[in-house]
Amino acid sequence: YIFGRRKATDVAHSVWKHVVREGDTVVDATCGNGHDTLALVKLVAGESARGRVYGIDIQEDALRSTSCFLGQSLGTQEMEHVKLFPKCHTKLAEIVPEDASVRLVAFNLGYLPGGDKAITTRSETTLLALEAAGSIIKPGGLISTVVYVGHPNGREEFETVQAFASGLSTENWVCCKLQMLNRPLAPVLIFMFKR
Ligand code: SAM
């Protein structure tokens, strides 16, 4: 029962469970402290050696934090399913192998919790990264975004993500938004399902 959950990221994880299968290739475009990356490894790993999580963050510090968190939570075999890249997510199509068919690209926008709040995702680069994600997602896949609307940059970024999703063709995409009506500053989820 996903809507009873309070945290937006928990809701996103519940949706991913309906989309991602063991053996899939997925991308975490904003690794941060690694909570989303861990949830993704749990979905793609298992018996299959094929599952891959390509994790990206622009900050080395964030990837160190992700790596440490994953190291505490996963066994050596599960760790082999993750590859981390200290890069801007606008480069995501270059990071993922050309022949990989990608089931999910996840964005959890904003700044690194516990880190430098000045280093945050930005509308212009987020838009380029969404376009790149759209080009590598296979039919049946999902672009998942969590957008923080409680601060001015976040509000602008939300408008950008919403406009991007609204402009995708209805022939190829089903796009929806989940917003807490009685918590107007709570993060908003925007999902773009590729048909
Ligand atoms: N998913 C994370 C977790 O589970 O802990 C939280 C992500 S945090 C809200 C947003 C992250 O986006 C920060 O770690 C930040 O460094 C990263 N970021 C900001 N701009 C970026 C960019 N252009 N490319 C990739 N990552 C970026």
Side-chain angles (χ1 to χ4, degrees):
Y1 176 55
I2 62 174
F3 299 116
R5 293 170 190 261
R6 268 184 74 87
K7 271 182 70 186
T9 47
D10 289 345
V11 176
H13 294 183
S14 302
V15 172
W16 300 351
K17 281 185 193 154
H18 293 274
V19 175
V20 178
R21 296 280 166 268
E22 189 182 309
D24 278 347
T25 296
V26 297
V27 178
D28 183 348
T30 51
C31 284
N33 293 317
H35 296 95
D36 294 322
T37 322
L38 176 66
L40 290 169
V41 179
K42 293 282 181 199
L43 293 176
V44 304
E47 293 299 300
S48 163
R50 283 178 302 122
R52 280 285 169 277
V53 180
Y54 292 91
I56 304 169
D57 201 290
I58 203 156
Q59 295 190 71
E60 299 258 6
D61 271 358
L63 289 186
R64 265 193 289 278
S65 174
T66 291
S67 197
C68 177
F69 181 62
L70 295 179
Q72 288 163 359
S73 318
L74 298 173
T76 337
Q77 246 181 333
E78 281 178 309
M79 284 296 273
E80 282 170 16
H81 293 267
V82 193
K83 290 184 186 299
L84 300 177
F85 297 85
K87 289 207 166 28
C88 176
H89 44 213
T90 53
K91 305 276 179 232
L92 67 85
E94 293 154 41
I95 288 165
V96 178
E98 231 171 89
D99 58 349
S101 88
V102 176
R103 181 81 73 183
L104 173 85
V105 180
F107 293 85
N108 185 342
L109 300 171
Y111 54 80
L112 177 66
D116 183 350
K117 291 190 179 170
I119 306 173
T120 182
T121 53
R122 291 184 298 116
S123 293
E124 312 85 76
T125 40
T126 299
L127 181 58
L128 292 173
L130 286 169
E131 283 165 357
S135 73
I136 62 167
I137 286 274
K138 65 176 170 182
L142 167 67
I143 304 174
S144 166
T145 63
V146 177
V147 198
Y148 297 83
V149 292
H151 54 100
N153 283 354
R155 174 63 61 179
E156 185 203 313
E157 202 170 23
F158 163 68
E159 303 289 350
T160 300
V161 177
Q162 180 166 253
F164 174 82
S166 307
L168 291 173
S169 82
T170 50
E171 205 180 310
N172 297 319
W173 295 89
V174 175
C175 301
C176 58
K177 169 171 77 172
L178 181 62
Q179 196 163 20
M180 304 296 158
L181 293 175
N182 57 349
R183 292 174 58 216
L185 298 183
V188 179
L189 297 153
I190 296 181
F191 296 111
M192 294 156 252
F193 296 92
K194 187 154 188 188
R195 288 181 189 270

